[in-house]
Amino acid sequence: MATINDNYLKLKAGYLFPEIARRVNAFVEANPDAKVIRLGIGDVTEPLPAACREAMVKAVEDMGDRDSFKGYGPEQGYAWLREKIAAHDFQSRGCDIDASEIFISDGSKCDCGNILDIFGNDNAIAVTDPVYPVYVDTNVMAGHTGDINDKGEYDRLVYLPVTAENNFTAEIPTQKVDLIYLCFPNNPTGATATREHLQAWVDYARANGSIIFFDAAYEAFITDPNIPHSIYEIEGAKECAIEFRSFSKNAGFTGTRCALTVVPKNLIGKAKDGSPVEIWKLWNRRQATKFNGVSYIVQRGAEAVYSEQGQAQVKELVAFYLENATIIRTKLSEAGLDVYGGVNAPYVWVKTPSGLTSWDFFDKLLHACNVVGTPGSGFGAAGEGYFRISAFNSRDNVNEAMTRILSKFK
Ligand code: MLT
């Protein structure tokens, strides 16, 4: 009989969001008349920007003509898209990122997991707690951890707690770690990182030969001009950081799929024999072997984000969700709850009332208000006693959800 990857047996039963969906589906089955509002998974609800749709329609036409038809594209993504990204998202902010250092993919979630292919099995890995579960689970799958304990922590991972007590800012570790996952604006807490905080991480990484995996999927939600959008705005980051970005949350591509990963050419890791190896070459090799690129049609849609019309439409979309976040923050505060995040981020992080556990509060909101959120403990042990509300929904649903919550909690 074929053997399996036993590391999968160490995983908690279900990935967080399918587990929530399972519980919500069971509730809906038992209460078919309940009008459930889903503010759990951060999935967008508003239509794709017209500029992207028009570009994709045009791209479909291209595919119908022998002269403009496209077969396999470059595994790294088309140069016309990578050049726009380099100029607009990085060079315009003073980041010395070249188009050749950008790899187009079908999602940041995939890349966050896939990147582990090119790293060794003996790295010490640090994650904040709470954290986007993909960082942890993919390391478990790759065999980089030991077993899970009663608190839900995996042996061999270094957890850096972020709570209201430390203003949701992880302390720089005192021990040496090789790989560090950072996500700003943060999923799930909605916290942002100052330039000084990021500089402290970059200094740490350079001093210790560590690599930072910087997840900037929510950078479009930054409105404060003092908050960096990219880790490469920080001096020295090109020597120690890989950045993940996505079109999912700014341009509503969760169902369309397009993202990018930046691997700077001067980023170095070490082989078993101690010799230096360029990380870029490994990632390029990995992508060329295991990936055939994102469809031409979708890349044309992503390119349209950088047109004048696209920029205006994306700005409007982001502002819409940020307004939702403001409504959520305001109403939940009125309900007497302690709220965090949701200012430069689409997630509001709430302290559960009356000492309820995260899952108790989940059940209470679902049963009393028919509103779905995400239990903080699903993001890690230090998330216990917190709850995440996503601002990705229609205005009507957000208003209705807040009315229901206020009526039960005020
Ligand atoms: C979330 O709700 O945390 C996000 O939707 C996850 C993701 O983008 O994969």
Side-chain angles (χ1 to χ4, degrees):
M1 190 180 289
T3 60
I4 53 108
N5 176 352
D6 269 55
N7 296 312
Y8 277 66
L9 305 180
K10 294 182 201 161
L11 291 164
K12 268 189 260 179
Y15 180 56
L16 177 60
F17 295 106
E19 174 59 19
I20 290 171
R22 194 187 61 75
R23 291 183 187 222
V24 174
N25 290 343
F27 175 80
V28 170
E29 216 163 277
N31 304 274
D33 296 331
K35 290 204 165 37
V36 172
I37 299 177
R38 290 173 165 81
L39 303 178
I41 191 165
D43 192 5
V44 295
T45 54
E46 303 310 297
L48 283 179
C52 301
R53 281 184 277 130
E54 283 157 20
M56 285 193 275
V57 168
K58 157 92 178 43
V60 170
E61 294 303 327
D62 291 348
M63 295 299 267
D65 185 325
R66 179 174 296 279
D67 291 335
S68 48
F69 172 79
K70 299 276 184 294
Y72 290 126
E75 296 91 354
Q76 301 82 356
Y78 285 101
W80 36 258
L81 175 57
R82 302 159 88 199
E83 275 155 17
K84 291 212 172 64
I85 293 168
H88 185 278
D89 289 346
F90 296 102
Q91 292 157 8
S92 72
R93 295 189 171 277
C95 309
D96 177 25
I97 296 295
D98 185 74
S100 62
E101 297 173 303
I102 294 169
F103 293 80
I104 307 300
S105 79
D106 59 347
S108 281
K109 174 174 162 179
C110 325
D111 280 359
C112 283
N114 292 338
I115 198 81
L116 295 177
D117 271 14
I118 62 168
F119 287 93
N121 291 326
D122 45 4
N123 288 310
I125 297 162
V127 290
T128 59
D129 177 12
V131 71
Y132 179 40
V134 171
Y135 311 152
V136 171
D137 286 4
T138 52
N139 274 291
V140 177
M141 292 169 175
H144 297 166
T145 73
D147 287 326
I148 195 166
N149 68 17
D150 294 343
K151 278 172 72 187
E153 292 168 340
Y154 287 94
D155 192 32
R156 281 171 55 201
L157 283 187
V158 176
Y159 290 90
L160 308 171
V162 287
T163 59
E165 285 68 46
N166 61 15
N167 205 16
F168 302 102
T169 305
E171 272 182 40
I172 308 291
T174 43
Q175 75 266 54
K176 188 171 164 336
V177 292
D178 305 299
L179 298 175
I180 303 148
Y181 289 83
L182 296 179
C183 173
F184 289 112
N186 188 255
N187 179 13
T189 67
T192 50
T194 61
R195 188 169 295 277
E196 293 69 34
H197 183 60
L198 292 183
Q199 188 69 62
W201 274 117
V202 167
D203 293 347
Y204 170 91
R206 288 170 82 194
N208 290 283
S210 332
I211 289 182
I212 297 170
F213 294 153
F214 190 76
D215 184 348
Y218 300 94
E219 62 77 33
F221 294 84
I222 296 172
T223 51
D224 180 339
N226 296 315
I227 298 174
H229 288 239
S230 167
I231 188 86
Y232 304 117
E233 290 177 53
I234 307 302
E235 203 193 319
K238 271 195 84 176
E239 289 164 35
C240 64
I242 290 174
E243 183 163 306
F244 303 97
R245 287 210 180 188
S246 171
F247 292 94
S248 283
K249 310 296 159 92
N250 60 346
F253 271 45
T254 54
T256 305
R257 310 308 305 152
C258 198
L260 60 118
T261 291
V262 183
V263 184
K265 289 226 169 111
N266 44 356
L267 190 65
I268 303 292
K270 92 175 175 235
K272 272 230 160 50
D273 64 4
S275 56
V277 177
E278 278 176 55
I279 302 287
W280 183 94
K281 283 193 180 153
L282 300 187
W283 184 244
N284 191 50
R285 183 72 172 80
R286 190 262 173 216
Q287 291 300 82
T289 303
K290 290 197 178 182
F291 190 54
N292 259 334
V294 174
S295 83
Y296 168 73
I297 297 161
V298 168
Q299 290 192 65
R300 281 294 186 203
E303 183 195 27
V305 164
Y306 299 100
S307 67
E308 207 182 317
Q309 193 198 9
Q311 282 291 287
Q313 291 164 358
V314 163
K315 218 168 150 195
E316 207 176 301
L317 261 183
V318 167
F320 174 83
Y321 292 124
L322 279 176
E323 179 64 25
N324 280 351
T326 303
I327 294 169
I328 294 168
R329 280 180 59 88
T330 309
K331 295 295 176 189
L332 295 184
S333 299
E334 271 175 40
L337 299 171
D338 292 330
V339 298
Y340 307 93
V343 177
N344 292 285
Y347 296 125
V348 178
W349 190 238
V350 186
K351 185 95 193 89
T352 58
S354 323
L356 288 176
T357 68
S358 301
W359 277 109
D360 285 349
F361 189 60
F362 172 89
D363 285 335
K364 192 164 176 167
L365 268 195
L366 179 60
H367 288 263
C369 309
N370 302 162
V371 171
V372 180
T374 309
S377 56
F379 296 102
E384 181 57 274
Y386 289 92
F387 198 74
R388 193 191 77 175
I389 307 265
S390 159
F392 291 112
N393 216 309
S394 67
R395 184 61 44 77
D396 283 352
N397 276 349
V398 166
N399 282 333
E400 171 64 17
M402 293 305 115
T403 304
R404 291 186 199 168
I405 294 175
L406 267 173
S407 75
K408 298 288 176 193
F409 284 89
K410 202 167 174 180

